[in-house]
Amino acid sequence: MNIIRSVIKGCGSYLPEKILHNEELAKSVDTSDEWIVERTGIRQRHIAAEGEKTSDLAMRAAEKALLAAGLGIDDIDMIVLATATPDETFPATATAVQAGLGMYHGAAFDVQAVCSGFIYAMTVADNFIRCGQAKRIIVIGAETFSRILDWTDRATCVLFGDGAGAVILEAQEGKGDNTDRGILTTHLHSDGRHHDLLYVDGGPSSTKTVGHLRMRGREVFRHAVVNLAAVVHESLDKLGLEASDIDWIVPHQANRRIIEGTGRKLGLGTDKIIITVDRHANTSAASVPLALAAGVEDGRIKKGDLVLMEAMGGGFTWGACLARW
Ligand code: UT7
């Protein structure tokens, strides 16, 4: 049976110029390079320049993705942008990207699922394509988390960074089996009971301020390991595949211990996992597309590979997207 698949035509990423190393952070909060590396695997993060907005990072990543796909902006029907750090409360940051790219047709909107945002955005875009409502979509994850960190809270400020990644999805016909290229299955979950474990203590309709990120890290960690393993198994079961069929896991880059723990549960070593947390830290919705772009650019992810993307974040939200490159 012929069906429509969302094939990933190209990807791109952008990281702000400024790099903040652990040692530098240790000068302003009571922490150390040793603690951060041992507990998280993070060595450095990128920080957006003064005045550099989420849309600026997103646009650069989208331009690179278009170039990699060999497409122009006129070929695109829609922009779906995942972010928890929009330029403004409204309009959607995606519309700033749309204008910046010179796209005056179609539709652009934001998706908010914090660190799972890219998986949510891929799912939304995949559904638009499979319904026949769009042929080519730019899916972006972009964040400037440095703006919402409490730089006096050592438990959170060492963990996050800024960046953006983008992919171009294109409608192509597939046979309807696991050998097709493109997105094969997506799975989303949320559980709003866990709000207090990871949230921002501000917002337009509550405090009328932007607020700062608050997290009870140890509890989030426990949920992450369980939820991620479950959603990965759900994705594999849906397609009748085994963990050993996966060529690359491209996980959300929150903590190296979570990444390796999820891999271990699947029986997959770090030679099958794209890890960028050491260089990028946790860039929320940008972390999966940044890691994807890294894996493609250095030649590890190749055409035909089975790629599993997964993420978990505030809400809680979590999900997975299984695609053949
Ligand atoms: O992206 C959304 C999803 N987010 C996540 O997945 C994050 C999940 N959580 C984590 O990655 C980890 O829980 C953390 C990295 C946040 C923390 O690691 P942990 O091993 O769970 O440490 P902990 O929170 O249990 O803290 C251990 C100790 C505490 O001191 P006491 O109470 O044992 O005296 C903390 O106060 O480490 C202390 N601590 C620090 N010490 C030095 C916390 N942050 C720091 C720090 N430097 N930056």
Side-chain angles (χ1 to χ4, degrees):
M1 185 184 64
N2 281 4
I3 65 162
I4 300 174
R5 294 285 196 195
S6 308
V7 170
I8 302 166
K9 285 281 287 179
C11 59
S13 65
Y14 177 76
L15 289 156
E17 229 169 86
K18 184 183 169 188
I19 294 175
L20 180 60
H21 293 99
N22 292 347
E23 291 86 353
E24 250 175 289
L25 261 175
K27 290 181 193 159
S28 53
V29 283
D30 181 17
T31 189
S32 63
D33 179 51
E34 295 73 37
W35 190 94
I36 302 171
V37 172
E38 192 195 311
R39 299 295 179 118
T40 71
I42 297 166
R43 293 182 184 277
Q44 61 173 53
R45 69 286 295 141
H46 289 249
I47 303 290
E50 188 70 36
E52 195 174 29
K53 300 191 295 287
T54 295
S55 61
D56 297 321
L57 313 188
M59 220 147 53
R60 299 254 194 134
E63 280 167 349
K64 287 194 192 164
L66 281 168
L67 200 65
L71 295 169
I73 197 63
D74 292 341
D75 300 314
I76 302 299
D77 307 317
M78 185 176 278
I79 299 174
V80 184
L81 186 148
T83 189
T85 45
D87 292 2
E88 294 153 347
T89 302
F90 81 79
T93 301
T95 58
V97 174
Q98 183 188 24
L101 292 174
M103 177 177 163
Y104 311 121
H105 60 274
F109 56 92
D110 290 357
V111 168
Q112 219 291 39
V114 206
C115 298
S116 314
F118 185 73
I119 305 295
Y120 270 66
M122 287 288 267
T123 303
V124 169
D126 179 44
N127 282 318
F128 270 105
I129 285 180
R130 288 191 298 110
C131 287
Q133 284 191 285
K135 280 208 157 39
R136 294 196 192 94
I137 303 181
I138 309 180
V139 184
I140 310 171
E143 303 277 16
T144 47
F145 258 50
S146 61
R147 312 288 199 236
I148 56 162
L149 295 176
D150 173 353
W151 288 99
T152 65
D153 176 18
R154 69 174 184 176
T156 53
C157 77
V158 304
L159 303 173
F160 296 88
D162 302 336
V167 302
I168 314 288
L169 296 182
E170 180 180 85
Q172 288 186 14
E173 249 184 41
K175 296 195 298 285
D177 62 30
N178 292 342
T179 66
D180 284 346
R181 288 191 69 207
I183 295 176
L184 300 175
T185 188
T186 61
H187 299 267
L188 300 182
H189 294 279
S190 64
D191 186 343
R193 288 175 298 178
H194 301 296
H195 167 277
D196 293 354
L197 299 185
L198 179 48
Y199 66 105
V200 166
D201 62 0
S205 108
S206 52
T207 58
K208 295 182 258 178
T209 62
V210 172
H212 292 108
L213 182 149
R214 304 294 172 202
M215 177 165 75
R216 297 203 337 236
R218 203 178 306 184
E219 281 107 307
V220 178
F221 190 108
R222 268 194 302 115
H223 283 277
V225 176
V226 174
N227 290 344
L228 290 172
V231 78
V232 168
H233 281 299
E234 184 185 342
S235 311
L236 291 170
D237 290 349
K238 171 83 186 297
L239 298 178
L241 293 170
E242 304 287 334
S244 55
D245 293 316
I246 298 171
D247 293 297
W248 293 105
I249 304 181
V250 184
H252 173 47
Q253 311 282 325
N255 186 318
R256 194 176 170 105
R257 289 187 291 143
I258 297 177
I259 294 170
E260 289 179 350
T262 309
R264 259 196 311 276
K265 278 193 169 197
L266 294 166
L268 298 175
T270 49
D271 57 326
K272 292 270 183 186
I273 310 176
I274 308 287
I275 300 177
T276 53
V277 69
D278 53 331
R279 290 172 284 150
H280 304 166
N282 182 347
T283 56
S284 182
S287 91
V288 169
L290 272 166
L292 259 187
V296 171
E297 277 160 25
D298 66 21
R300 279 181 289 175
I301 299 176
K302 291 185 276 305
K303 196 170 172 180
D305 282 354
L306 190 65
V307 177
L308 177 86
M309 298 161 249
E310 40 93 332
M312 144 109 191
F316 287 147
T317 56
W318 66 102
C321 172
L322 193 51
R324 192 167 297 285
W325 203 259

Short mmCIF file of all heavy atoms in Angstrom, two decimals, residues 185 187 189 225-244 246 249 261-268 308-310 318-322:
data_model
loop_
_atom_site.label_atom_id
_atom_site.label_comp_id
_atom_site.label_asym_id
_atom_site.label_seq_id
_atom_site.Cartn_x
_atom_site.Cartn_y
_atom_site.Cartn_z
N THR A 185 7.10 6.41 13.00
CA THR A 185 6.12 6.48 14.08
C THR A 185 6.54 7.58 15.07
O THR A 185 7.74 7.85 15.23
CB THR A 185 5.97 5.11 14.79
OG1 THR A 185 4.88 5.17 15.71
CG2 THR A 185 7.23 4.70 15.54
N HIS A 187 5.37 9.17 19.14
CA HIS A 187 4.59 8.90 20.36
C HIS A 187 4.78 10.03 21.34
O HIS A 187 5.92 10.36 21.70
CB HIS A 187 5.03 7.57 20.99
CG HIS A 187 4.82 6.41 20.06
ND1 HIS A 187 3.69 5.64 20.07
CD2 HIS A 187 5.60 5.96 19.05
CE1 HIS A 187 3.78 4.74 19.11
NE2 HIS A 187 4.93 4.90 18.47
N HIS A 189 3.57 11.98 25.10
CA HIS A 189 2.92 11.82 26.41
C HIS A 189 3.08 13.09 27.22
O HIS A 189 4.05 13.83 27.03
CB HIS A 189 3.57 10.67 27.20
CG HIS A 189 3.35 9.34 26.58
ND1 HIS A 189 2.19 8.63 26.77
CD2 HIS A 189 4.14 8.60 25.77
CE1 HIS A 189 2.28 7.49 26.10
NE2 HIS A 189 3.45 7.45 25.48
N VAL A 225 14.43 8.60 33.37
CA VAL A 225 14.96 7.28 33.00
C VAL A 225 13.79 6.31 32.71
O VAL A 225 13.80 5.57 31.72
CB VAL A 225 15.88 6.73 34.12
CG1 VAL A 225 16.34 5.33 33.80
CG2 VAL A 225 17.09 7.65 34.28
N VAL A 226 12.76 6.34 33.57
CA VAL A 226 11.63 5.42 33.41
C VAL A 226 10.80 5.78 32.17
O VAL A 226 10.51 4.92 31.32
CB VAL A 226 10.73 5.47 34.68
CG1 VAL A 226 9.47 4.64 34.48
CG2 VAL A 226 11.52 5.00 35.90
N ASN A 227 10.45 7.07 32.04
CA ASN A 227 9.57 7.48 30.95
C ASN A 227 10.22 7.31 29.58
O ASN A 227 9.56 6.92 28.60
CB ASN A 227 9.17 8.95 31.11
CG ASN A 227 8.22 9.15 32.27
OD1 ASN A 227 7.63 8.19 32.78
ND2 ASN A 227 8.07 10.38 32.71
N LEU A 228 11.51 7.62 29.49
CA LEU A 228 12.18 7.52 28.19
C LEU A 228 12.30 6.07 27.74
O LEU A 228 12.03 5.76 26.57
CB LEU A 228 13.56 8.20 28.25
CG LEU A 228 13.49 9.72 28.35
CD1 LEU A 228 14.86 10.33 28.58
CD2 LEU A 228 12.86 10.32 27.09
N ALA A 229 12.65 5.19 28.67
CA ALA A 229 12.75 3.77 28.28
C ALA A 229 11.38 3.27 27.83
O ALA A 229 11.27 2.54 26.82
CB ALA A 229 13.26 2.95 29.47
N ALA A 230 10.32 3.70 28.52
CA ALA A 230 8.96 3.23 28.17
C ALA A 230 8.55 3.70 26.78
O ALA A 230 8.01 2.93 25.98
CB ALA A 230 7.96 3.72 29.22
N VAL A 231 8.81 4.97 26.47
CA VAL A 231 8.35 5.50 25.17
C VAL A 231 9.19 4.94 24.02
O VAL A 231 8.69 4.78 22.90
CB VAL A 231 8.29 7.05 25.18
CG1 VAL A 231 9.66 7.70 25.02
CG2 VAL A 231 7.34 7.55 24.10
N VAL A 232 10.44 4.61 24.30
CA VAL A 232 11.27 3.98 23.26
C VAL A 232 10.70 2.59 22.95
O VAL A 232 10.53 2.22 21.78
CB VAL A 232 12.74 3.88 23.73
CG1 VAL A 232 13.54 2.98 22.79
CG2 VAL A 232 13.37 5.26 23.79
N HIS A 233 10.38 1.83 23.99
CA HIS A 233 9.81 0.49 23.77
C HIS A 233 8.46 0.57 23.06
O HIS A 233 8.16 -0.24 22.18
CB HIS A 233 9.69 -0.26 25.10
CG HIS A 233 11.00 -0.83 25.54
ND1 HIS A 233 11.69 -1.76 24.79
CD2 HIS A 233 11.77 -0.59 26.62
CE1 HIS A 233 12.82 -2.07 25.39
NE2 HIS A 233 12.90 -1.37 26.50
N GLU A 234 7.66 1.58 23.42
CA GLU A 234 6.36 1.78 22.77
C GLU A 234 6.55 1.99 21.26
O GLU A 234 5.82 1.41 20.45
CB GLU A 234 5.71 3.01 23.41
CG GLU A 234 4.31 3.31 22.93
CD GLU A 234 3.79 4.63 23.52
OE1 GLU A 234 4.34 5.14 24.53
OE2 GLU A 234 2.81 5.15 22.95
N SER A 235 7.56 2.78 20.89
CA SER A 235 7.83 3.06 19.47
C SER A 235 8.28 1.79 18.74
O SER A 235 7.80 1.50 17.63
CB SER A 235 8.93 4.11 19.32
OG SER A 235 8.68 5.21 20.13
N LEU A 236 9.20 1.06 19.36
CA LEU A 236 9.72 -0.15 18.71
C LEU A 236 8.60 -1.20 18.58
O LEU A 236 8.45 -1.82 17.51
CB LEU A 236 10.88 -0.72 19.53
CG LEU A 236 12.16 0.11 19.53
CD1 LEU A 236 13.15 -0.41 20.56
CD2 LEU A 236 12.80 0.12 18.14
N ASP A 237 7.79 -1.36 19.64
CA ASP A 237 6.70 -2.35 19.62
C ASP A 237 5.71 -2.05 18.51
O ASP A 237 5.21 -2.94 17.83
CB ASP A 237 5.97 -2.39 20.97
CG ASP A 237 6.86 -2.98 22.07
OD1 ASP A 237 7.93 -3.53 21.72
OD2 ASP A 237 6.49 -2.87 23.26
N LYS A 238 5.42 -0.74 18.33
CA LYS A 238 4.45 -0.33 17.31
C LYS A 238 4.86 -0.85 15.93
O LYS A 238 4.03 -1.21 15.10
CB LYS A 238 4.35 1.19 17.32
CG LYS A 238 3.56 1.82 16.21
CD LYS A 238 2.07 1.81 16.54
CE LYS A 238 1.20 2.31 15.40
NZ LYS A 238 1.46 3.69 15.04
N LEU A 239 6.17 -0.88 15.67
CA LEU A 239 6.67 -1.28 14.35
C LEU A 239 7.17 -2.72 14.31
O LEU A 239 7.65 -3.18 13.28
CB LEU A 239 7.80 -0.33 13.92
CG LEU A 239 7.43 1.15 13.78
CD1 LEU A 239 8.66 1.96 13.40
CD2 LEU A 239 6.34 1.35 12.75
N GLY A 240 7.10 -3.39 15.45
CA GLY A 240 7.61 -4.76 15.49
C GLY A 240 9.12 -4.82 15.35
O GLY A 240 9.67 -5.78 14.78
N LEU A 241 9.82 -3.80 15.85
CA LEU A 241 11.28 -3.76 15.76
C LEU A 241 11.91 -4.05 17.12
O LEU A 241 11.25 -3.94 18.16
CB LEU A 241 11.74 -2.37 15.28
CG LEU A 241 11.37 -1.99 13.84
CD1 LEU A 241 11.67 -0.52 13.59
CD2 LEU A 241 12.12 -2.85 12.83
N GLU A 242 13.20 -4.38 17.08
CA GLU A 242 13.97 -4.62 18.31
C GLU A 242 14.94 -3.45 18.50
O GLU A 242 15.29 -2.77 17.53
CB GLU A 242 14.83 -5.89 18.16
CG GLU A 242 14.08 -7.15 17.82
CD GLU A 242 13.28 -7.68 19.01
OE1 GLU A 242 13.69 -7.38 20.15
OE2 GLU A 242 12.27 -8.33 18.79
N ALA A 243 15.40 -3.27 19.74
CA ALA A 243 16.38 -2.20 20.01
C ALA A 243 17.61 -2.37 19.13
O ALA A 243 18.22 -1.39 18.69
CB ALA A 243 16.77 -2.20 21.49
N SER A 244 17.96 -3.63 18.85
CA SER A 244 19.16 -3.88 18.04
C SER A 244 19.01 -3.40 16.59
O SER A 244 19.99 -3.29 15.86
CB SER A 244 19.50 -5.37 18.07
OG SER A 244 18.38 -6.11 17.65
N ILE A 246 18.03 -0.43 15.86
CA ILE A 246 18.31 1.02 15.86
C ILE A 246 19.78 1.25 15.47
O ILE A 246 20.69 0.64 16.03
CB ILE A 246 18.08 1.63 17.27
CG1 ILE A 246 16.61 1.49 17.68
CG2 ILE A 246 18.49 3.10 17.30
CD1 ILE A 246 16.33 1.87 19.13
N ILE A 249 20.66 6.35 18.35
CA ILE A 249 19.75 7.05 19.27
C ILE A 249 20.21 8.50 19.29
O ILE A 249 21.40 8.78 19.48
CB ILE A 249 19.81 6.51 20.72
CG1 ILE A 249 19.55 5.00 20.77
CG2 ILE A 249 18.81 7.23 21.60
CD1 ILE A 249 19.57 4.45 22.19
N GLY A 261 22.10 5.67 30.70
CA GLY A 261 21.16 4.77 31.40
C GLY A 261 20.08 4.27 30.45
O GLY A 261 19.73 3.09 30.45
N THR A 262 19.55 5.17 29.62
CA THR A 262 18.52 4.77 28.64
C THR A 262 19.12 3.80 27.64
O THR A 262 18.50 2.79 27.29
CB THR A 262 17.95 6.02 27.92
OG1 THR A 262 17.58 6.98 28.90
CG2 THR A 262 16.75 5.67 27.06
N GLY A 263 20.35 4.08 27.20
CA GLY A 263 21.04 3.19 26.26
C GLY A 263 21.23 1.80 26.86
O GLY A 263 20.96 0.78 26.21
N ARG A 264 21.66 1.78 28.13
CA ARG A 264 21.90 0.49 28.82
C ARG A 264 20.62 -0.33 28.89
O ARG A 264 20.62 -1.53 28.64
CB ARG A 264 22.42 0.73 30.23
CG ARG A 264 23.94 0.55 30.35
CD ARG A 264 24.39 0.42 31.79
NE ARG A 264 23.86 1.45 32.67
CZ ARG A 264 24.40 2.66 32.81
NH1 ARG A 264 25.47 3.00 32.12
NH2 ARG A 264 23.87 3.54 33.63
N LYS A 265 19.50 0.37 29.21
CA LYS A 265 18.21 -0.35 29.31
C LYS A 265 17.83 -1.00 27.98
O LYS A 265 17.12 -1.99 27.94
CB LYS A 265 17.09 0.62 29.72
CG LYS A 265 17.05 0.87 31.21
CD LYS A 265 15.78 1.56 31.59
CE LYS A 265 15.69 1.52 33.13
NZ LYS A 265 14.43 1.76 33.65
N LEU A 266 18.33 -0.40 26.88
CA LEU A 266 18.02 -0.93 25.55
C LEU A 266 19.11 -1.90 25.07
O LEU A 266 19.01 -2.45 23.98
CB LEU A 266 17.91 0.22 24.55
CG LEU A 266 16.74 1.18 24.75
CD1 LEU A 266 16.93 2.43 23.94
CD2 LEU A 266 15.43 0.49 24.37
N GLY A 267 20.16 -2.02 25.85
CA GLY A 267 21.27 -2.88 25.45
C GLY A 267 22.14 -2.23 24.38
O GLY A 267 22.82 -2.92 23.61
N LEU A 268 22.10 -0.88 24.31
CA LEU A 268 22.88 -0.16 23.29
C LEU A 268 23.96 0.68 23.95
O LEU A 268 23.68 1.45 24.88
CB LEU A 268 21.97 0.73 22.44
CG LEU A 268 20.88 0.00 21.64
CD1 LEU A 268 19.97 1.02 20.94
CD2 LEU A 268 21.50 -0.92 20.59
N LEU A 308 16.44 6.94 16.20
CA LEU A 308 15.44 7.12 17.25
C LEU A 308 15.71 8.41 18.02
O LEU A 308 16.76 8.54 18.65
CB LEU A 308 15.50 5.94 18.23
CG LEU A 308 14.53 6.12 19.38
CD1 LEU A 308 13.16 5.60 19.02
CD2 LEU A 308 15.03 5.49 20.63
N MET A 309 14.77 9.34 17.93
CA MET A 309 14.87 10.59 18.70
C MET A 309 13.95 10.49 19.90
O MET A 309 12.83 10.02 19.77
CB MET A 309 14.44 11.77 17.82
CG MET A 309 15.30 11.98 16.59
SD MET A 309 14.47 12.97 15.32
CE MET A 309 14.22 11.74 14.05
N GLU A 310 14.43 10.92 21.08
CA GLU A 310 13.56 10.88 22.27
C GLU A 310 13.90 12.04 23.19
O GLU A 310 15.04 12.53 23.19
CB GLU A 310 13.68 9.53 22.99
CG GLU A 310 15.08 8.94 23.07
CD GLU A 310 15.85 9.28 24.32
OE1 GLU A 310 15.59 10.36 24.90
OE2 GLU A 310 16.74 8.50 24.70
N TRP A 318 6.92 14.05 27.39
CA TRP A 318 7.97 13.19 26.84
C TRP A 318 7.47 12.53 25.56
O TRP A 318 6.25 12.51 25.29
CB TRP A 318 8.47 12.17 27.87
CG TRP A 318 7.53 11.10 28.32
CD1 TRP A 318 7.50 9.80 27.92
CD2 TRP A 318 6.49 11.23 29.32
NE1 TRP A 318 6.51 9.11 28.60
CE2 TRP A 318 5.89 9.96 29.47
CE3 TRP A 318 6.01 12.30 30.09
CZ2 TRP A 318 4.82 9.74 30.35
CZ3 TRP A 318 4.96 12.08 30.97
CH2 TRP A 318 4.38 10.81 31.10
N GLY A 319 8.42 12.04 24.76
CA GLY A 319 7.99 11.45 23.50
C GLY A 319 9.16 10.90 22.72
O GLY A 319 10.33 11.05 23.10
N ALA A 320 8.82 10.24 21.61
CA ALA A 320 9.84 9.66 20.73
C ALA A 320 9.39 9.76 19.28
O ALA A 320 8.18 9.79 18.99
CB ALA A 320 10.09 8.20 21.11
N CYS A 321 10.37 9.82 18.40
CA CYS A 321 10.12 9.89 16.96
C CYS A 321 11.13 8.94 16.30
O CYS A 321 12.34 9.12 16.45
CB CYS A 321 10.33 11.32 16.49
SG CYS A 321 10.28 11.54 14.71
N LEU A 322 10.61 7.94 15.63
CA LEU A 322 11.47 6.93 15.00
C LEU A 322 11.42 7.17 13.48
O LEU A 322 10.33 7.18 12.89
CB LEU A 322 10.94 5.54 15.36
CG LEU A 322 11.79 4.31 15.09
CD1 LEU A 322 13.19 4.45 15.67
CD2 LEU A 322 11.11 3.09 15.70
#
